[in-house]
Amino acid sequence: MSICVKQNARVKKNFKPFLIILPILAILLSSCNGQIKISVDKAGNADIEFASSMGTALENLIVSLSSSDNPPNSSETETPFFDSSAIKNSLTHSGLKNIQVKTPKRTSVDFSAQLPDLKNKQNILAQTLKFTGSSLTFTISPEIAFQIKNSMDEDVQSYIDLLMAPVFSGESMQLSEYTELVSSVYGQQIADELLASRISIYLSIPGKSKTFEVPLTQLLTVSDKLEFYLN
C-alpha cells in the first residue's frame, strides 16, 4: 500500500513534466489501436510510422491528476496530451530523420520518420533491425530496451521507471505479477485496459510484407527476446 501511495504521489507531483515525457512512452501507453510500420528499402534505409491512442482509463487517470489541484478550463480540456515539439526533439535525438508528428485527437499521436543506414549499429534503434536484402528481423529484448532507456536523460529514465515494465528493468516477472503491480499502483481499470491492448507490427521490404498482432503485455514483460521475421 505504501508503494501505491508513493508512486501516485510522484506522478501527481511531476504531472506537467510527465506530459512532456509522455510522447516518448506513447507505445507503452497505447490502446488496442497501437500500430508500428517499418518499411526498409533496398539500400537499407527504414521508414518508420507509428500511431497510438490512449484508452479511456488512462485518459481519465491523467485528467484526474491534472485537475486535482487546478480544475481545467474549457481550453485546457481540448489541449492534446501529446507535445508534438517534444516528440520531434526526442526522435531527432534518437538519430531519426525527416520527422513528421501529428496529434489528430487529444489522446492520440502519429509520427513518421526515417532511420538511415541500418548497418550503423552505433544507433541503438538500428540494433532492433537486421536487414539482409531478402529478409528483415525486428527484435525486442530487455538488453536493447535497457540501452534505449540509458541513452535518455535522467528525467526520462525516471518516468520510464514509473511504468515498472520488466522489459526495461530486466527483472523476471510473470504477466500476472506485472498486471497485479500495475493494478495496485494505478488501479484495476488501467490494468484491465493494459491486458486488452494489442500492438500491430507491420514489416515490409521490397516485394514482401507481413503484419503481426501482439499483446502489449507480451512486449512489456519479455524476459529473453521477441523476434519478428519477414523472409
Side-chain angles (χ1 to χ4, degrees):
M1 183 66 179
S2 61
I3 295 176
C4 177
V5 173
K6 183 177 180 180
Q7 289 277 16
N8 279 304
R10 185 179 179 188
V11 173
K12 188 173 293 187
K13 178 180 179 182
N14 299 295
F15 181 76
K16 287 187 177 179
F18 180 67
L19 283 187
I20 297 174
I21 300 305
L22 188 57
I24 304 172
L25 309 177
I27 189 170
L28 302 181
L29 303 173
S30 60
S31 72
C32 57
N33 297 319
Q35 184 178 65
I36 304 171
K37 291 185 177 181
I38 303 173
S39 302
V40 180
D41 63 21
K42 291 189 296 184
N45 302 306
D47 289 322
I48 300 174
E49 297 179 36
F50 173 74
S52 177
S53 61
M54 289 183 190
T56 303
L58 179 60
E59 178 185 0
N60 290 340
L61 173 64
I62 291 178
V63 170
S64 175
L65 291 173
S66 64
S67 61
S68 59
D69 296 320
N70 299 298
N73 57 44
S74 58
S75 62
E76 288 176 333
T77 59
E78 300 302 323
T79 302
F81 287 138
F82 299 100
D83 186 325
S84 298
S85 177
I87 298 174
K88 189 169 184 177
N89 289 339
S90 64
L91 295 177
T92 300
H93 184 71
S94 298
L96 296 176
K97 309 293 183 182
N98 302 324
I99 301 165
Q100 295 186 348
V101 181
K102 297 179 181 179
T103 53
K105 296 181 181 180
R106 187 189 189 201
T107 57
S108 62
V109 60
D110 303 345
F111 73 72
S112 61
Q114 186 178 67
L115 179 60
D117 190 10
L118 295 182
K119 294 180 180 179
N120 179 16
K121 298 307 179 183
Q122 291 184 344
N123 186 309
I124 296 174
L125 293 179
Q127 294 179 27
T128 66
L129 297 168
K130 181 180 179 181
F131 176 58
T132 66
S134 59
S135 68
L136 178 65
T137 304
F138 177 43
T139 301
I140 298 173
S141 71
E143 291 77 16
I144 293 175
F146 187 74
Q147 289 183 57
I148 292 174
K149 172 187 170 182
N150 282 351
S151 70
M152 300 177 181
D153 62 38
E154 292 184 1
D155 285 340
V156 176
Q157 292 184 42
S158 69
Y159 291 111
I160 290 179
D161 289 338
L162 287 175
L163 297 171
M164 306 170 292
V167 69
F168 286 108
S169 67
E171 181 181 359
S172 179
M173 188 180 298
Q174 297 296 319
L175 171 59
S176 59
E177 295 177 301
Y178 180 57
T179 53
E180 182 178 351
L181 178 60
V182 171
S183 175
S184 68
V185 175
Y186 298 112
Q188 187 59 47
Q189 286 187 322
I190 296 292
D192 290 343
E193 198 165 79
L194 184 67
L195 281 170
S197 299
R198 301 184 68 83
I199 295 291
S200 172
I201 300 174
Y202 171 85
L203 302 181
S204 173
I205 59 177
K208 302 176 185 179
S209 64
K210 189 173 183 179
T211 299
F212 305 83
E213 296 287 340
V214 188
L216 179 59
T217 49
Q218 186 177 359
L219 302 183
L220 297 180
T221 59
V222 60
S223 58
D224 184 13
K225 64 180 178 180
L226 288 175
E227 292 186 325
F228 304 91
Y229 299 100
L230 172 61
N231 50 34

